[in-house]
Amino acid sequence: MTTTFAQLGLPDSLVQALSKRDISEPFPVQEATIPDALDGLDVCGKAPTGSGKTLAFGLPLLTNVEKAKRNRPRALILAPTRELAEQIKKELVPLGKATGRQIAAIYGGVGYGPQKNALRKGVDVLVATPGRLEDLMEQGSVNLGQVDIVVIDEADRMADMGFMPAVRRILDSTSRNRQTLLFSATLDGDIAVLSRDYQHNPVRHEAGTIEPETIDARH
Ligand code: ADP
Ligand code: MG
């Protein structure tokens, strides 16, 4: 029997929004992590590019995230580059419409004005690169004190790009009781240290590439 998104515990609103995009069967990393993430557990996920990590963290996050007050987002997704931040935002915006949650992305290389305006109107889920996020925090345009769900996406690339000190400062500015989801292609070195310092009893999941053989072996 094939598992469905509904069986993983996701609400009808999201299941229907996914089926409109012809997404009906969870990928392995999604099947592994969604139930734990929905339960509020910290998750440490190792999975390669193209395995479906955005929905693995995005669906539980959109199910659980609360509505934000102005300049005070409730969930934060950290990504290493502007392109990845945009990509995550684009994938989650239609799902956010289905659950009534506002999503915005902030990153460098573009003007501050529109990003500050969006934050002022209230962003429930903020997707951000570390550099621009710290700039906007210093300028008082965003306060992370009410962020109780954090996703660190592509943590290995974040480390390679020298963002670990910024990531740590950012995590230190979020709610102490937050849920922390960490995704990376590797889980050793800096990533193991980050997990040890910022996650509480993380559930660890590893998923391989999506190949017909892998899928056959599971059914
Ligand atoms: P990753 O972040 O692991 O590199 P993505 O989350 O960007 O991978 O997903 C890769 C592609 O697979 C995207 O186009 C996404 O819409 C698609 N996708 C994700 N999950 C599913 C699914 N369960 N069924 C079909 N397509 C999916
Ligand atoms: Mg990704």
Side-chain angles (χ1 to χ4, degrees):
M1 263 298 282
T2 307
T3 305
T4 63
F5 282 103
Q7 285 167 338
L8 297 181
L10 293 168
D12 285 346
S13 54
L14 284 176
V15 174
Q16 281 166 23
L18 287 169
S19 81
K20 276 190 196 143
R21 285 159 60 186
D22 278 330
I23 296 180
S24 56
E25 195 180 332
F27 283 168
V29 71
Q30 296 161 0
E31 193 171 335
T33 58
I34 286 172
D36 286 336
L38 276 175
D39 278 351
L41 300 175
D42 281 2
V43 171
C44 190
K46 178 178 167 180
T49 304
S51 54
K53 293 188 285 294
T54 311
L55 293 178
F57 60 71
L59 293 167
L61 184 150
L62 284 169
T63 303
N64 289 337
V65 67
E66 307 276 355
K67 289 289 289 173
K69 300 199 174 74
R70 47 169 56 199
N71 300 109
R72 290 177 165 267
R74 301 303 308 262
L76 172 67
I77 301 170
L78 285 173
T81 68
R82 155 187 176 165
E83 289 74 22
L84 283 163
E86 256 309 303
Q87 210 175 299
I88 293 165
K89 187 195 84 173
K90 282 216 180 90
E91 183 146 13
L92 298 188
V93 161
L95 301 171
K97 288 219 170 78
T99 58
R101 292 296 180 268
Q102 202 66 38
I103 299 156
I106 61 171
Y107 41 73
V110 296
Y112 284 86
Q115 297 180 357
K116 288 185 176 179
N117 285 340
L119 287 163
R120 210 173 299 128
K121 282 190 209 144
V123 172
D124 306 312
V125 179
L126 184 65
V127 187
T129 56
R132 177 58 63 101
L133 176 57
E134 286 207 300
D135 284 350
L136 287 165
M137 286 162 68
E138 273 162 31
Q139 294 178 30
S141 298
V142 60
N143 179 306
L144 301 182
Q146 292 188 355
V147 167
D148 44 26
I149 310 175
V150 176
V151 178
I152 307 160
D153 193 22
E154 309 243 1
D156 52 326
R157 285 187 64 191
M158 213 94 78
D160 290 345
M161 292 170 74
F163 284 142
M164 272 308 130
V167 168
R168 298 175 75 97
R169 286 192 297 270
I170 289 165
L171 288 167
D172 287 334
S173 309
T174 61
S175 165
R176 278 177 152 280
N177 304 318
R178 65 165 193 275
Q179 177 186 26
T180 311
L181 310 172
L182 187 157
F183 289 87
S184 186
T186 59
L187 292 179
D188 42 20
D190 283 349
I191 311 308
V193 175
L194 188 72
S195 171
R196 189 196 66 204
D197 292 349
Y198 287 93
Q199 294 194 291
H200 297 287
N201 303 320
V203 185
R204 192 165 157 157
H205 290 293
E206 297 197 16
T209 43
I210 320 285
E211 286 165 23
E213 282 170 54
T214 321
I215 291 165
D216 285 342
R218 289 168 48 238
H219 293 286

